[in-house]
Amino acid sequence: YKDQTGMMGYSYGQSDTIMCFNGAKSWQSGWYVDKEVTVNSAAISGAVSCFDGDLHVIVDYPTATTVLLKVQDDANSVDYYVNFNAKKGINSGTREGGNQVTITSKTLAVRDSYGESEFVAKLGGQASFTFANYNITVDAIDTTKGKAHVTLLLTGQSVCMPPSPAPANAPTTGFSSMSTTLPPTSKPMTVMPISPPTTPFPTNIPTPFPTGESHNSCTHHGVPFQTISH
């Protein structure tokens, strides 16, 4: 009840408070799964080890690239959630951390399931904050475009390097798999027949085509073949 960045963290007397959920609750909802990025130091299970890019306000979800970051701190069984809390559209009534990058946390029970979240920090432009084994810097905030550029690095890291590409597949064939069969050293000998064949030539003239059937039609036993279209 001490988080006023979004709904469900504080009670208000007004019935028309216009704000979204905080980062933890937004992730839990599962509404933005294709615009979420998971960060952990080992970069496992589809995660990355750092982040350097734009965070868009959730209001702009349809055209955004990224709206939520989740930083996994497995050593302490805590997940941290980072989002840009812009005062815009359906989030224009946020009471805390408006137009700032906010960080919330949730202690793990079952990851991404229901649980109480805690407000951790709110950061304006050029501000930095250290949590878990990460340092986050808000490089710039653009309220007109509804985005904040953030850099999230492991402690001691100076630049976010993209993951190395996977090695190319080794060729499936090589010199060792080539056939070693040698060509024959000489041509095979053909033995000529000693005497000509004894079978006489046919004496009868071949039977002509049936008189009632066209020679040019494609038929079999009088039934035209059907052309199959490919």
Side-chain angles (χ1 to χ4, degrees), residues 5 20-21 23 54-60 66-69 81-88 91 94 97-103 123-125 138 140-150:
T5 63
C20 299
F21 300 133
D54 289 333
L55 268 181
H56 291 84
V57 61
I58 282 177
V59 173
D60 293 337
T66 305
V67 297
L68 288 169
L69 299 179
Y81 301 86
V82 184
N83 71 297
F84 179 43
N85 191 41
K87 299 184 69 172
K88 181 179 180 180
N91 195 54
T94 181
N99 295 328
Q100 293 182 301
V101 172
T102 60
I103 304 173
L123 308 172
V138 180
I141 290 177
D142 188 336
T143 55
T144 302
K145 295 183 178 180
K147 65 180 182 179
H149 190 280
V150 302

Side-chain angles (χ1 to χ4, degrees), residues 189-211:
M189 182 180 295
T190 303
V191 179
M192 301 297 292
I194 299 174
S195 59
T198 58
T199 304
F201 290 99
T203 58
N204 296 327
I205 299 173
T207 302
F209 289 99
T211 57

Side-chain angles (χ1 to χ4, degrees), residues 162-226:
S164 301
N169 293 330
T172 56
T173 59
F175 180 79
S176 60
S177 62
M178 296 176 62
S179 173
T180 57
T181 304
L182 298 176
T185 56
S186 61
K187 296 182 179 179
M189 182 180 295
T190 303
V191 179
M192 301 297 292
I194 299 174
S195 59
T198 58
T199 304
F201 290 99
T203 58
N204 296 327
I205 299 173
T207 302
F209 289 99
T211 57
E213 185 177 354
S214 173
H215 295 177
N216 296 324
S217 64
C218 184
T219 64
H220 179 65
H221 296 299
V223 179
F225 288 156
Q226 293 182 352

Side-chain angles (χ1 to χ4, degrees), residues 92-161:
S92 59
T94 181
R95 300 296 183 90
E96 184 176 9
N99 295 328
Q100 293 182 301
V101 172
T102 60
I103 304 173
T104 51
S105 68
K106 185 170 80 70
T107 301
L108 297 185
V110 177
R111 177 162 273 150
D112 301 332
S113 65
Y114 170 82
E116 182 180 334
S117 63
E118 296 286 338
F119 176 74
V120 176
K122 52 188 176 183
L123 308 172
Q126 303 300 313
S128 296
F129 183 74
T130 300
F131 61 101
N133 55 342
Y134 277 91
N135 183 74
I136 186 171
T137 299
V138 180
D139 303 302
I141 290 177
D142 188 336
T143 55
T144 302
K145 295 183 178 180
K147 65 180 182 179
H149 190 280
V150 302
T151 305
L152 180 68
L153 302 173
L154 282 163
T155 302
Q157 194 176 25
S158 58
V159 63
C160 182
M161 298 295 294

Side-chain angles (χ1 to χ4, degrees), residues 23 25-39 46 51 55 61 65-70 81 112:
K25 301 305 181 186
S26 293
W27 190 289
Q28 182 185 323
S29 73
W31 295 340
Y32 315 103
V33 64
D34 59 328
K35 306 292 177 73
E36 299 169 344
V37 174
T38 300
V39 183
F51 180 85
L55 268 181
Y61 162 76
T65 52
T66 305
V67 297
L68 288 169
L69 299 179
K70 177 174 70 173
Y81 301 86
D112 301 332

